[in-house]
Structures are given as C-alpha cells and as structure tokens.
Amino acid sequence: MAKNKQNTKENQEIMHENDTFEDAQNQELNNEQQNIVSDEAAQMNQNLNMELQEDAAENKNMETNADNEAENVRSDDELAKMTLQFDEMKDKYLRLSAEFDNYRKRTLKEKMELTKSAGEGILLNILPVVDNFERGLKSLEASKDIDAVKEGIHLIYATFTDFLKQQGIKPMDAVNLEFNTDEHEAITKIPAPAEELKGKVIDVVEKGYKLHDKVIRFAKVVVGE
C-alpha cells in the first residue's frame, strides 16, 4: 500500500514534469511563432515603406517630368513669341529704311531743282530794269533834250532801288556817323574839317548794303582824324 502511494506520487511528479516540459515547449513555440510573426510584420512593414518610398520617388519624377515639359512648352511659346516680335521689328525696319531712302532721294531731287531755279524770281524781277535801260539807251540816241535823258536815268535808278528794297536789300547810312568796323571799311584817313568830325566818316567812296539785318557789303569810307 505504501509502495503504491509512492508510485502514484512518482507518476504525479513525472506527469508534472511532463506538463512543465510541455508548457515550456509550448511557451518556446509561442515565442518562436511570435518572433516569426514579428519578423514577417517587420519585413512587410519594411517592404511597404520601400514601396511607399518608390512610389514617392516615382511621383516626384513624374512631377519633375511634368514641370520640365511645362517649362519646355513655356520656352517654346516664348521663343515663338520672340521670333514673331523679331519678324515684326525687322519688317518695320525694312519699311522705315525704304521710306527714308525714298525721302532722301525726293529731297535730293527737290534740292537740285531748287538750286537750278533759286535765282529765277530775282532774275525775272530784274528784267523790267533791263527793259528800262534799253528804252533809255534808245531815247539817249534819238533825244536832244538832256533833261528828258536825266529823267529817264532817274526813273531807271528808282525802279532798280525799289526792286532791291523788295528783296530786303537796303543801303547803309555812313556820312557823319562814328566809324564802325562792323559796317565800315576805312580806305583812307584825312584831317577832320571840324573837331566834332574826328573819328567819324567824312565821305563814302562806295556804299555798303544790308540784306535784312546782315551786312552783305561793307561801306568803303574816308575817316576824319
């Protein structure tokens, strides 16, 4: 009876050891399974992260390519716009160049014509004076009245001086005026007949003339000293 109890106790201890061993094995198996699951989960997470990174990189590349394509399109548009502007400016330059060349030729032609006919009006107005001279010469040959000849000469002179006035030409006064180098040319000096005539024009050898306000011929004068 005591021996049976002892065997029973030993069997119980053996069973307990077996249960403990099985529990340890199960625990170890569970740990291994958990480690495997954890490794698989970590691997899956790593793979997922790699896929996400690849997708992000691909998206970034796609965005970069899209930006490059848009930039190329803008560059092409700007190049086309600049080409159009250049063509317009070139056409405008050619037109202006042609217009200026035509203007230059026309101006040169007008200048040449003006040069040829510049004195036409003056010469045309001189012709009546020549006509009067011719009539005066004929009268001088046929007339014996000296007074009539003088009158004719005065008439011709008056006609010619009127013509000069119409052209803006007028004689300059000089006698008894202070000698002025801007208008007078002294050809000689003589003793002044009076004290107040010293440094003044005593006589005019050749009249001076102005065209409007410009001296076109200096008066040749005698100056008192």
Side-chain angles (χ1 to χ4, degrees):
M1 193 73 171
K3 187 176 181 179
N4 289 335
K5 289 182 179 181
Q6 185 178 358
N7 290 334
T8 302
K9 185 177 180 180
E10 291 178 353
N11 290 332
Q12 289 178 350
E13 291 177 353
I14 292 172
M15 289 179 64
H16 179 72
E17 290 178 357
N18 289 335
D19 291 339
T20 303
F21 178 75
E22 288 179 359
D23 291 339
Q25 286 184 337
N26 291 331
Q27 182 67 31
E28 184 177 357
L29 181 61
N30 289 333
N31 291 336
E32 289 180 356
Q33 290 178 348
Q34 289 178 358
N35 290 333
I36 292 173
V37 171
S38 298
D39 293 340
E40 290 179 352
Q43 185 65 36
M44 291 178 63
N45 188 28
Q46 184 178 0
N47 293 336
L48 181 61
N49 289 333
M50 291 179 63
E51 290 179 359
L52 291 175
Q53 291 177 357
E54 291 177 355
D55 291 341
E58 185 177 357
N59 291 333
K60 185 175 182 180
N61 291 333
M62 292 178 63
E63 292 177 357
T64 302
N65 293 333
D67 292 340
N68 291 335
E69 291 179 359
E71 184 67 24
N72 291 333
V73 171
R74 286 196 297 270
S75 299
D76 292 340
D77 292 341
E78 291 177 357
L79 180 60
K81 185 177 180 181
M82 292 177 65
T83 302
L84 180 61
Q85 291 177 349
F86 173 77
D87 292 337
E88 291 177 352
M89 293 178 65
K90 181 179 179 181
D91 182 68
K92 184 177 180 180
Y93 168 77
L94 293 176
R95 289 177 182 273
L96 290 175
S97 179
E99 290 178 1
F100 176 76
D101 188 58
N102 292 333
Y103 169 78
R104 183 180 61 81
K105 291 179 179 179
R106 183 173 63 253
T107 303
L108 182 61
K109 182 179 179 181
E110 292 175 353
K111 186 181 293 185
M112 292 176 63
E113 292 177 352
L114 182 62
T115 302
K116 291 179 180 179
S117 60
E120 181 179 347
I122 296 175
L123 296 174
L124 184 62
N125 290 329
I126 289 178
L127 294 180
V129 179
V130 177
D131 293 338
N132 289 334
F133 269 117
E134 291 177 350
R135 295 189 189 98
L137 291 174
K138 290 180 181 179
S139 298
L140 183 60
E141 293 175 357
S143 177
K144 294 181 181 180
D145 187 355
I146 190 65
D147 291 333
V149 173
K150 288 180 180 181
E151 184 178 353
I153 292 174
H154 284 297
L155 178 62
I156 295 172
Y157 177 76
T159 302
F160 191 70
T161 53
D162 288 340
F163 163 75
L164 293 178
K165 289 179 182 179
Q166 292 174 4
Q167 304 304 316
I169 298 175
K170 58 183 180 180
M172 296 186 296
D173 296 327
V175 177
N176 296 332
L177 296 178
E178 292 287 343
F179 177 74
N180 183 359
T181 55
D182 292 332
E183 296 181 353
H184 307 143
E185 179 184 349
I187 58 174
T188 187
K189 292 183 179 181
I190 63 173
E195 185 67 24
E196 65 271 12
L197 293 178
K198 287 183 178 181
K200 293 184 177 180
V201 176
I202 304 298
D203 190 17
V204 176
V205 178
E206 187 176 86
K207 279 186 177 182
Y209 288 89
K210 284 184 177 181
L211 177 59
H212 302 296
D213 293 328
K214 179 183 178 181
V215 176
I216 59 175
R217 190 175 83 174
F218 291 94
K220 294 181 180 181
V221 299
V222 178
V223 182
E225 62 177 359

